[in-house]
Amino acid sequence: GAVVSQHPSWVICKSGTSVKIECRSLDFQATTMFWYRQFPKQSLMLMATSNEGSKATYEQGVEKDKFLINHASLTLSTLTVTSAHPEDSSFYICSASSGSSPFNQPQHFGDGTRLSIL
Amino acid sequence: GEDVEQSLFLSVREGDSSVINCTYTDSSSTYLYWYKQEPGAGLQLLTYIFSNMDMKQDQRLTVLLNKKDKHLSLRIADTQTGDSAIYFCAESTSGGYNKLIFGAGTRLAVHP
């Protein structure tokens, strides 16, 4: 159980285009979804936290107009990188949790999306 | 602020035990987690421990928590080549939505 599917797994596109990444919880309802960015050989950097039906909460330094997050249902969240540029190239990982504090259900992660902007 | 630290690299021989260590700073963390990441993949939840526990064992994995010293360890018994990966320690932050603070990850290399 607790499977999170992320799509696409790899995308290459030209500078200036927008890219949408989907994150789906397949066998549970995800009250909260998280979006992370990971640079090579580094840890995960939390970008934003989203709850179904409400606006995402962005971490300091993350441009909300650049990284649009939508959490329209309890099983789907999307991250859209708008007008992507080479510096946006990275590994993006989503996670989903079925509960929030104080129940603290673990986060379950997708397999990540490697984004390469030419 | 909150911080999680891990050693960056560990090399062990196949069949030996591996011990990966982690220290954290947030004394109000309620849960501590161990995740495994293989190359090019997402994170796989290995195990987690509630802060009022000292130890948790799950098959080959043993987690030890020293809350006084804010020290967490993951022991892998009978380490196999398939255990080669990066292991991340993470603490849950106080407050809502179970935000996690990750360590930098420990790269475990298992050699014959």
Side-chain angles (χ1 to χ4, degrees), chain A residues 11 38 47 49 63 65 71 78 94 103 108:
Chain A
V11 58
Q38 186 179 31
M47 299 174 66
T49 304
E63 300 176 58
D65 294 331
H71 191 163
T78 60
C94 74
F103 302 105
H108 298 278

Side-chain angles (χ1 to χ4, degrees), chain B:
Chain B
E2 301 137 342
D3 192 22
V4 177
E5 294 192 358
Q6 301 177 239
S7 53
L8 295 182
F9 189 74
L10 176 66
S11 178
V12 298
R13 185 172 296 180
E14 191 174 11
D16 288 350
S17 293
S18 308
V19 179
I20 303 171
N21 294 300
C22 170
T23 57
Y24 60 97
T25 56
D26 187 357
S27 57
S28 63
S29 290
T30 50
Y31 287 87
L32 295 127
Y33 301 84
W34 285 104
Y35 285 89
K36 176 184 179 182
Q37 185 179 35
E38 299 188 28
L43 273 67
Q44 173 194 354
L45 176 65
L46 288 178
T47 186
Y48 62 101
I49 188 168
F50 189 49
S51 59
N52 69 353
M53 297 170 64
D54 299 322
M55 186 187 86
K56 181 178 179 181
Q57 186 160 3
D58 183 3
Q59 298 182 333
R60 292 192 297 125
L61 305 179
T62 302
V63 178
L64 294 178
L65 174 60
N66 182 328
K67 196 171 181 182
K68 174 176 169 289
D69 294 337
K70 300 193 190 73
H71 181 267
L72 182 74
S73 68
L74 174 69
R75 179 177 180 271
I76 306 172
D78 187 25
T79 312
Q80 302 297 308
T81 54
D83 295 323
S84 295
I86 300 175
Y87 290 80
F88 289 96
C89 167
E91 63 171 345
S92 62
T93 59
S94 53
Y97 306 129
N98 193 23
K99 283 174 56 173
L100 296 180
I101 304 297
F102 285 88
T106 299
R107 184 177 295 274
L108 175 65
V110 182
H111 56 89

Side-chain angles (χ1 to χ4, degrees), chain A residues 36-108:
Chain A
Y36 295 85
R37 184 172 179 177
Q38 186 179 31
F39 293 100
K41 297 185 179 181
Q42 293 190 28
S43 189
L44 282 73
M45 181 192 79
L46 179 64
M47 299 174 66
T49 304
S50 74
N51 288 277
E52 183 263 339
S54 60
K55 288 185 179 180
T57 301
Y58 289 80
E59 295 300 299
Q60 192 171 7
V62 177
E63 300 176 58
K64 55 184 69 176
D65 294 331
K66 174 76 170 174
F67 300 99
L68 300 179
I69 291 170
N70 183 277
H71 191 163
S73 76
L74 283 171
T75 59
L76 174 64
S77 176
T78 60
L79 167 68
T80 301
V81 184
T82 62
S83 186
H85 291 285
E87 58 267 27
D88 298 323
S89 298
S90 192
F91 193 56
Y92 292 87
I93 310 177
C94 74
S95 72
S97 171
S98 60
S100 61
S101 181
F103 302 105
N104 280 41
Q105 293 300 309
Q107 292 182 31
H108 298 278

